[in-house]
Amino acid sequence: MAALAVGCGSEAASSGEWVPPPPSAAPTSKAPVRLAKVTSACKVLPAATVMKVLGPTSKTKLKARELPVDKSDGEVAYSCAYGKDGQEPFALTISTRPDQAEKAESTIDNIAAGVGVKTAPVDDLGAAGIGYVKDSFRIVAATVPYEADLRLVIFAAPEIVPQKKLVEVLDEVVKKI
């Protein structure tokens, strides 16, 4: 509206041309910058973020422990375990699959076919997502294309944790990667 008021009476306004606002008036994006390269699962998802999303009690204090990097089959996987007092019931894995960005849905389909338990699609999480319970753990996996690569993120928690909470945790990761 301000741009219209300023332009009234000028030749540009009378000829029907649109004059864009100056660059300083352009809206700024609040979206976080995505990581060009993942180098640590614990840095992408700190223990404090896991606690905030899962709803900690005043006595709960999780610690994050980066696990050894897994380099196999041309993929690189970073994993972080979360827990306290020697127990680590939560885990995050982020793997990068070079030149497989177009396989986001088929990767999730392959996981669903291979886990041997009933799965449920998870909507609005990355390009494709799935959730399931196996061996007393609830697991949510999602794929996120980045340029030509595909990033697969998996978060596991005890079965008692609702899938909705796992999806919230993974959403924090998906925004960053």
Side-chain angles (χ1 to χ4, degrees):
M1 194 64 132
L4 276 178
V6 172
C8 287
S10 72
E11 287 185 13
S14 63
S15 66
E17 290 182 4
W18 178 75
V19 180
S24 63
T28 57
S29 173
K30 297 283 183 188
V33 176
R34 291 179 61 197
L35 294 173
K37 182 176 172 93
V38 175
T39 58
S40 163
C42 291
K43 287 182 182 176
V44 173
L45 184 66
T49 302
V50 175
M51 289 176 46
K52 180 181 85 173
V53 173
L54 294 178
T57 65
S58 60
K59 296 178 182 177
T60 302
K61 179 91 172 148
L62 294 179
K63 292 185 179 182
R65 181 175 63 93
E66 192 78 28
L67 301 175
V69 176
D70 180 12
K71 296 180 181 180
S72 58
D73 300 328
E75 299 174 16
V76 178
Y78 298 91
S79 297
C80 187
Y82 305 89
K84 66 176 191 163
D85 301 328
Q87 302 289 323
E88 294 176 323
F90 306 100
L92 171 71
T93 299
I94 304 170
S95 62
T96 301
R97 298 170 177 210
D99 300 317
Q100 293 188 27
E102 74 285 348
K103 295 182 179 179
E105 289 185 24
S106 64
T107 298
I108 291 298
D109 291 344
N110 290 340
I111 291 171
V115 295
V117 296
K118 183 179 177 186
T119 62
V122 175
D123 297 325
D124 302 324
L125 184 65
I130 192 170
Y132 57 95
V133 174
K134 185 171 184 172
D135 300 329
S136 299
F137 282 92
R138 183 172 308 279
I139 300 164
V140 173
T143 52
V144 182
Y146 181 82
E147 296 178 353
D149 298 338
L150 182 66
R151 294 172 175 176
L152 173 65
V153 292
I154 300 170
F155 189 71
E159 181 179 2
I160 194 169
V161 180
Q163 179 171 303
K164 177 183 172 191
K165 287 294 185 182
L166 272 71
V167 170
E168 288 178 38
V169 170
L170 268 190
D171 188 51
E172 294 292 320
V173 175
V174 166
K175 290 175 190 175
K176 296 176 183 178
I177 64 165

